[in-house]
Amino acid sequence: GSLDEALRSFNELREQSQTRYQNAQLDEITGHIALCFKHLYEKNKTKDYLEKMQGEIDNGMRLDVSEGRKAVFFLRQADIYSYHESWAQANSTVLHAYQLVCNGKNPGYMKGEYLGHYAESVSNNGRSVESMRLFADAIKLVKADKEIEASYRCIILSGIYAKMIIPCIKARYV
């Protein structure tokens, strides 16, 4: 379906969750809404979507959930820093998100997914060779997790492989 349909669905779920005070659901829903705005921004390059994404990040950070459950909002904040080419800020923010995931009782695939985001950030900071090592570690974490569904494993791995393209080119030709 379209991103607009996804946003409508997530907003309906958020209204239901707010009525029931289910913060654990609310943080996931808010994270997905922020992700929808990220994709809308990437598709249209409309500044309004970045502002809406920032609003969702701010909403998520105010939720009464553990710090570890806020990792996704740090990840999305790093995206915004990247869009503004604030590479050092993006890098430290993604690293913080990754550390939050590692400090919690999260499955290996999630650690691998966040490590893949951090590896991309390391590459954006001009450290292509180091990023390739981190990408390899991320792939190992995802592949080693036997609890993840095959289709979701494929989604995460394809995202990591896609993020590797630019540092692969830089490592080879720079």
Side-chain angles (χ1 to χ4, degrees), residues 91-163:
N91 191 64
S92 64
T93 306
V94 174
L95 177 58
H96 182 66
Y98 171 64
Q99 289 168 335
L100 288 173
V101 167
C102 287
N103 291 340
K105 294 180 181 180
N106 294 302
Y109 77 85
M110 186 179 276
K111 293 173 185 173
E113 180 179 12
Y114 276 73
L115 183 57
H117 287 289
Y118 177 60
E120 179 183 33
S121 181
V122 167
S123 172
N124 289 338
N125 277 277
R127 301 184 335 251
S128 297
V129 174
E130 179 185 351
S131 74
M132 295 307 294
R133 181 187 54 77
L134 294 169
F135 279 124
D137 290 345
I139 290 166
K140 286 178 193 171
L141 282 168
V142 175
K143 286 184 173 182
D145 190 326
K146 302 303 179 202
E147 301 300 315
I148 185 175
E149 290 182 30
S151 60
Y152 195 60
R153 176 182 286 115
C154 182
I155 290 168
I156 294 172
L157 287 173
S158 66
I160 294 171
Y161 290 131
K163 288 173 178 48

Side-chain angles (χ1 to χ4, degrees), residues 55 57-65 70:
I57 293 166
D58 295 342
N59 288 338
M61 292 298 222
R62 285 191 295 270
L63 290 173
D64 185 24
V65 294
K70 293 181 181 180

Side-chain angles (χ1 to χ4, degrees), residues 18 25 27 30 45 52 74 106 115 118 131 146 171:
Q18 285 174 328
Q25 275 188 323
D27 69 333
T30 304
K45 299 298 183 213
K52 290 180 178 182
F74 285 101
N106 294 302
L115 183 57
Y118 177 60
S131 74
K146 302 303 179 202

Side-chain angles (χ1 to χ4, degrees), residues 72-91:
V72 68
F73 303 112
F74 285 101
L75 188 61
R76 298 287 77 92
Q77 186 66 58
D79 290 332
I80 289 178
Y81 291 142
S82 293
Y83 296 140
H84 295 297
E85 297 183 1
S86 299
W87 305 120
Q89 261 186 309
N91 191 64

